[in-house]
Amino acid sequence: MPRGILLTANLPQLQNLIKRDPAGYKEEFLQQWNHYNSIRQIFHLNPDEHATQFRELVAFIAQVATCYPKETSEFPSHISSILLESYGVLFPDTRKALIQTLVMLRNKGVTTSIDLLKCLFPLLPRTTSPALRSLIRKTILTDIRTANMKSKNHKLNRSIQAMMFGMVERGLEDQNFGDKGKAKELASDGKGTGHGEDAMWAVILTKELWRKGIWNDAKPVSIVALGCLHPIVKVQSASMHFFLGGEEQEDSDDEEEDVDVKSLHHRREVNKKTRSGDKKLQKKLNAAKKKKHGAKDHSQPNFPALQLLNDPQTFAEKLFDILNRFDKRFTLDHKILMMQLVSRVMGAHNLCVLSFYTYIVKYLTYHQLRVPAILVSLAQSVHDLTPPDALTPVIRKIANEFVHPGVASEVIAAGINAVREVCRRQPWAMEEDLLGDLIEYRKSKDKAVTAAARGLLQLYREVNPGMLKKRERGKEAAIGMSSGSHQPLPFGHSADAAIDIEGLSLLEDHLQKLREEDNVEEMDEEAAWEGWDAESDSSEDSDESEGWVNVDDSGDDHFDVSDSDDEKEEKDGKGETEKEQAATKEQTVSTLATTKILTPADFALLNDLRIKAATKAVESGGGTKAKRKLAELESNRSHQAGDAGNTFISEDDILGPRKKAKADYEERMASIQKGREGREKFGSRKGKKTKETPSSSTNREKAKNKPIMMILSSGAVRGKKKASLRQKQQKLREHIDRAKKSRK
């Protein structure tokens, strides 16, 4: 057989020979290349014809493309154009083969990551196969992660992010928001569906890259923020969950599908029994169990993403405008989702969207579904710069709807707790007569109502005791008001400039103890500052032109730094008392911050020392104030972002302590495990013969001694009477077999 015919008929053999000697088999390759071009033109006209032969040629050329880079320079663009132009009419096997070919060319360095991703991104919304969609998604994420592994690939990131911006922006012109009425009808006829799928996948991939830490700057946050304004509800929901911290189920149709436990057990019964099969089955069952019970959504907000928002005021106004204009088109759950995001942006950035409080008033009724979540949204939107005039009608509405004798005690507790959380952030929103009425509920017989009213009373004892009656102010507040040191700040005023870091003296004492135990640390610290003194920066002969200028102390009497003669007279009149007070004040201020640059480790240690001091104060009887201080410090350590006033709250803070809340899965399992402690063996012990102390006999043993008249009507006796001859023979055979085994 001639050599050319043999090589033409056996592409794997030709592929092997070309890799060994590319120059010697160039003619054979060019022959196959011309054949590929001919079939490609036919394939463009009719994809059904020569599909198998076309796949074989594509796989062959992809394997040897590195041997002939000049001849195959256009090969990746051929594959990309076929996928983008004829994807809908290709066979599934052909689609998968072409995509795998592109990935292979990228791994071999024939094509770039940008060209590969520009081809794969448009294919995601058009793919109906879950397996192929999972392959494309995994390829995209892996390629971007590999490109950013050693250092940030800014060129690739900018290109992909611009593509994602375009995928989201294409559907923003449509104003058919919501999933009810006309919007639902327009969405069902196919208009804008492609835009919605494109935006959905852009948001999904951006969230995944953010979660893996590959993208962590402001640009991916801007992509998802744009998705929050998208008219498709599914895209909106996925984007808002990114900022709210919850997990959406939009990607459950891929490799994270719900596991069918019955199908796994059935497959295990049918297939061959092996140890590896048992291990794989148990691994899948454990994963399914963990996903079902372990994935508990605590709805922790995504603090870095909220802080990286570009122009949060405009974002909050646009999002609220969508919520207000298309209110009737959204479901209640989606409206609450939008309320939560608007309120968290307002609380995180101290924004004022005053129309939000007018909008939310209509939902503040005790019979409203999911009203605790709505009250949470209201409370976390308030901050110290929110105008009290906008909040006073809201607080009055909550009091009228929730706090009156005609509702249950849980409703009253929720209403007072909601008022407390709002007033904690803006105390001037409360009216004095309303405050007096609310704190009277501390005499209620219900524990939750009493706790809520006492919390409100204690709050105003701290922030503004002047609004309380004298008998309700408490000892500390009354003493502070009489001395003038406990005065609330007016609206819009901020506290005085800090002269010290709170608790810094604790850190200074701790470091001093370490130095006393080991002097090496002090020496090392001094050595670390060597060469950083101010005098070492300037030479000795250049004192006149640069560096610090030494001033003689003897010339101090020639300078008068006072502003006027009146100030000098006032200073002389105060005498030694003011000097003593100033000296005492200077002694209380720690000098550690002026002698040492505090590192993040120092601040972490400072926080731990403050928590220890607060814990000791609670144990020594510091009262509720010490407990709240300890809770605030622990909250700051857990969140590591924002101050205590802007910490987001949950529905449990609104509902308060309940009589018996339903336990979740983790709590039930913990209770079960606690009850099993000390047991030697679980399960039934028939006859209880293994027990150390004798106990009563079993029901089976008792049945043998029952009178005959008691068991004549039982199922066991009637079954024996109705048994056939064959059943009696089987019972007899079983009895004989048991007797033989017992003799052995």
Side-chain angles (χ1 to χ4, degrees):
M1 184 178 297
R3 172 185 170 189
I5 299 176
L6 176 62
L7 294 178
T8 304
N10 194 345
L11 289 179
Q13 182 186 6
L14 178 59
Q15 172 185 321
N16 186 21
L17 295 173
I18 288 176
K19 288 183 176 180
R20 293 184 179 184
D21 187 9
Y25 291 91
K26 187 173 183 179
E27 294 182 2
E28 285 78 4
F29 170 76
L30 292 177
Q31 181 182 358
Q32 297 297 330
W33 177 256
N34 295 331
H35 189 201
Y36 155 76
N37 285 326
S38 302
I39 292 193
R40 181 171 59 86
Q41 295 176 2
I42 299 174
F43 191 79
H44 268 295
L45 299 175
N46 187 7
D48 296 340
E49 191 174 356
H50 304 294
T52 304
Q53 190 176 6
F54 180 73
R55 289 198 300 267
E56 293 176 356
L57 283 171
V58 167
F60 163 73
I61 296 174
Q63 290 287 345
V64 299
T66 55
C67 300
Y68 309 102
K70 185 177 180 180
E71 288 79 5
T72 60
S73 59
E74 300 295 329
F75 180 67
S77 62
H78 293 168
I79 305 300
S80 300
S81 62
I82 291 174
L83 283 171
L84 295 175
E85 295 173 5
S86 307
Y87 188 81
V89 296
L90 295 177
F91 286 124
D93 295 339
T94 306
R95 297 173 185 170
K96 186 176 181 181
L98 294 180
I99 291 173
Q100 290 175 342
T101 300
L102 277 180
V103 176
M104 183 191 301
L105 294 175
R106 167 66 185 92
N107 295 335
K108 290 178 176 290
V110 178
T111 184
T112 61
S113 295
I114 296 178
D115 295 334
L116 173 65
L117 297 177
K118 283 183 178 180
C119 177
L120 293 183
F121 264 101
L123 300 183
L124 268 175
R126 303 167 63 183
T127 304
T128 57
S129 171
L132 187 57
R133 191 188 306 121
S134 176
L135 173 64
I136 297 174
R137 175 181 176 178
K138 186 178 180 181
T139 302
I140 292 174
L141 295 175
T142 304
D143 196 79
I144 297 176
R145 180 177 57 189
T146 305
N148 291 272
M149 186 171 294
K150 294 183 179 179
S151 62
K152 292 291 183 181
N153 192 336
H154 297 289
K155 182 180 179 181
L156 175 65
N157 292 340
R158 283 196 298 266
S159 178
I160 300 304
Q161 288 165 359
M163 190 187 308
M164 289 184 172
F165 267 113
M167 294 170 69
V168 179
E169 283 179 339
R170 278 194 290 270
L172 292 181
E173 295 82 7
D174 186 13
Q175 292 297 312
N176 295 312
F177 286 86
D179 52 1
K180 292 182 179 180
K182 185 179 179 180
K184 189 173 183 180
E185 295 175 2
L186 292 175
S188 62
D189 62 359
K191 296 181 181 179
T193 306
H195 293 167
E197 291 294 330
D198 290 347
M200 189 65 196
W201 278 110
V203 171
I204 290 175
L205 293 175
T206 305
K207 290 171 62 177
E208 189 70 16
L209 291 168
W210 175 276
R211 187 180 64 83
K212 293 180 180 295
I214 302 170
W215 288 353
N216 51 13
D217 53 358
K219 289 184 178 179
V221 176
S222 301
I223 295 174
V224 185
L226 198 63
C228 294
L229 309 177
H230 201 277
I232 304 298
V233 174
K234 190 176 180 182
V235 179
Q236 265 192 339
S237 178
S239 303
M240 287 188 289
H241 274 88
F242 170 73
F243 292 103
L244 296 176
E247 293 295 332
E248 271 286 89
Q249 300 296 329
E250 73 273 354
D251 52 355
S252 62
D253 56 346
D254 291 324
E255 54 189 358
E256 299 180 359
E257 289 183 351
D258 294 335
V259 180
D260 189 355
V261 178
K262 290 185 178 180
S263 176
L264 291 176
H265 282 293
H266 175 70
R267 196 180 308 164
R268 187 71 196 125
E269 293 293 331
V270 174
N271 295 340
K272 185 179 179 181
K273 310 297 184 295
T274 58
R275 289 186 178 180
S276 61
D278 292 338
K279 291 181 180 179
K280 291 179 181 178
L281 174 64
Q282 191 61 39
K283 186 177 180 180
K284 291 181 180 178
L285 293 177
N286 292 339
K289 185 177 180 181
K290 184 178 180 181
K291 184 177 180 181
K292 182 179 180 181
H293 300 294
K296 189 178 180 182
D297 181 20
H298 296 280
S299 294
Q300 291 296 329
N302 197 342
F303 282 100
L306 288 174
Q307 298 300 327
L308 288 175
L309 275 173
N310 182 28
D311 194 0
Q313 179 70 42
T314 304
F315 173 75
E317 290 177 354
K318 288 183 178 180
L319 189 61
F320 173 71
D321 182 61
I322 293 173
L323 173 63
N324 191 26
R325 288 176 58 193
F326 306 101
D327 175 71
K328 295 183 179 179
R329 295 187 184 179
F330 295 124
T331 61
L332 177 63
D333 292 337
H334 192 72
K335 285 188 283 189
I336 291 176
L337 202 64
M338 298 181 77
M339 290 182 200
Q340 289 176 338
L341 182 55
V342 172
S343 63
R344 284 182 175 175
V345 174
M346 292 170 63
H349 294 274
N350 291 345
L351 308 178
C352 290
V353 184
L354 300 182
S355 303
F356 177 75
Y357 303 108
T358 308
Y359 170 82
I360 206 172
V361 163
K362 62 182 179 181
Y363 294 100
L364 298 179
T365 57
Y366 70 91
H367 52 76
Q368 172 67 48
L369 295 176
R370 297 194 60 189
V371 71
I374 298 174
L375 292 173
V376 167
S377 301
L378 169 65
Q380 64 192 7
S381 67
V382 181
H383 48 84
D384 53 356
L385 298 180
T386 305
D389 296 341
L391 295 175
T392 301
V394 179
I395 293 179
R396 177 66 68 177
K397 177 68 180 298
I398 295 175
N400 294 337
E401 290 286 340
F402 289 82
V403 188
H404 57 84
V407 295
S409 58
E410 293 85 356
V411 177
I412 299 176
I416 298 178
N417 286 330
V419 172
R420 184 194 70 229
E421 293 298 332
V422 172
C423 295
R424 185 187 302 278
R425 291 155 173 79
Q426 182 49 270
W428 292 105
M430 174 62 73
E431 297 173 323
E432 189 171 350
D433 56 344
L434 179 60
L435 177 62
D437 294 340
L438 293 178
I439 62 177
E440 287 297 324
Y441 278 89
R442 70 185 187 277
K443 302 175 183 178
S444 173
K445 296 182 179 179
D446 188 80
K447 181 180 179 181
V449 177
T450 303
R454 287 178 178 175
L456 182 62
L457 173 62
Q458 190 62 35
L459 171 66
Y460 273 88
R461 282 178 176 176
E462 296 177 1
V463 298
N464 194 356
M467 295 182 67
L468 300 172
K469 298 178 181 179
K470 288 186 178 180
R471 64 175 181 272
E472 296 168 349
R473 292 173 183 173
K475 181 180 178 181
E476 294 183 4
I479 295 175
M481 289 188 65
S482 61
S483 62
S485 61
H486 207 306
Q487 296 295 330
L489 287 173
F491 171 67
H493 289 242
S494 60
D496 296 334
I499 59 175
D500 192 15
I501 300 175
E502 185 179 358
L504 191 60
S505 58
L506 297 173
L507 180 62
E508 187 176 11
D509 295 340
H510 178 74
L511 295 178
Q512 184 64 30
K513 290 180 181 178
L514 293 179
R515 292 191 186 96
E516 292 175 358
E517 295 175 359
D518 190 2
N519 294 327
V520 178
E521 183 178 355
E522 185 176 2
M523 294 174 62
D524 292 340
E525 185 177 354
E526 292 177 357
W529 282 98
E530 189 176 4
W532 289 90
D533 295 336
E535 292 181 345
S536 62
D537 292 338
S538 59
S539 60
E540 296 178 358
D541 56 351
S542 60
D543 291 337
E544 297 179 359
S545 59
E546 56 184 353
W548 293 95
V549 178
N550 295 326
V551 180
D552 190 7
D553 295 339
S554 61
D556 290 345
D557 53 354
H558 297 288
F559 298 97
D560 188 6
V561 295
S562 61
D563 295 335
S564 63
D565 295 337
D566 297 336
E567 184 180 351
K568 186 182 297 184
E569 293 175 2
E570 182 182 355
K571 191 181 298 182
D572 295 337
K574 289 184 179 179
E576 298 295 331
T577 305
E578 183 180 358
K579 294 181 180 180
E580 293 177 358
Q581 292 178 355
T584 306
K585 186 176 181 181
E586 290 177 359
Q587 290 177 1
T588 58
V589 176
S590 175
T591 60
L592 182 63
T594 60
T595 58
K596 183 181 186 298
I597 297 178
L598 298 178
T599 62
D602 293 331
F603 281 106
L605 178 60
L606 174 61
N607 195 22
D608 293 338
L609 293 173
R610 290 177 63 190
I611 290 176
K612 289 181 181 179
T615 305
K616 188 179 296 184
V618 171
E619 293 175 353
S620 61
T624 57
K625 185 176 181 180
K627 293 180 181 178
R628 281 194 299 275
K629 186 66 176 178
L630 176 61
E632 179 183 343
L633 291 173
E634 291 177 346
S635 176
N636 290 342
R637 183 173 64 176
S638 61
H639 289 295
Q640 293 293 326
D643 52 19
N646 287 335
T647 302
F648 297 123
I649 61 176
S650 63
E651 295 185 17
D652 293 335
D653 298 327
I654 297 295
L655 295 175
R658 287 166 287 177
K659 293 182 179 179
K660 187 177 181 182
K662 185 178 180 181
D664 55 8
Y665 177 78
E666 287 78 8
E667 293 174 351
R668 294 198 301 269
M669 291 303 299
S671 177
I672 292 172
Q673 295 296 336
K674 185 178 180 181
R676 289 177 177 177
E677 293 178 358
R679 295 185 185 177
E680 296 179 359
K681 186 179 179 182
F682 306 143
S684 174
R685 291 181 290 177
K686 294 183 179 180
K688 301 182 178 65
K689 296 180 180 179
T690 60
K691 298 182 69 174
E692 297 179 358
T693 56
S695 59
S696 61
S697 59
T698 62
N699 290 337
R700 188 174 180 181
E701 293 174 349
K702 292 175 182 177
K704 297 179 180 179
N705 299 326
K706 281 187 178 181
I708 187 63
M709 297 303 296
M710 292 181 64
I711 61 173
L712 282 178
S713 300
S714 64
V717 175
R718 285 185 294 177
K720 290 180 180 179
K721 291 180 180 179
K722 296 179 181 179
S724 62
L725 179 61
R726 177 60 181 164
Q727 292 174 343
K728 292 179 180 179
Q729 289 176 345
Q730 290 176 347
K731 296 288 288 184
L732 179 60
R733 174 53 56 190
E734 292 175 359
H735 173 71
I736 294 173
D737 292 341
R738 285 196 300 270
K740 288 181 180 179
K741 291 179 181 179
S742 62
R743 293 193 196 101
K744 294 179 181 179

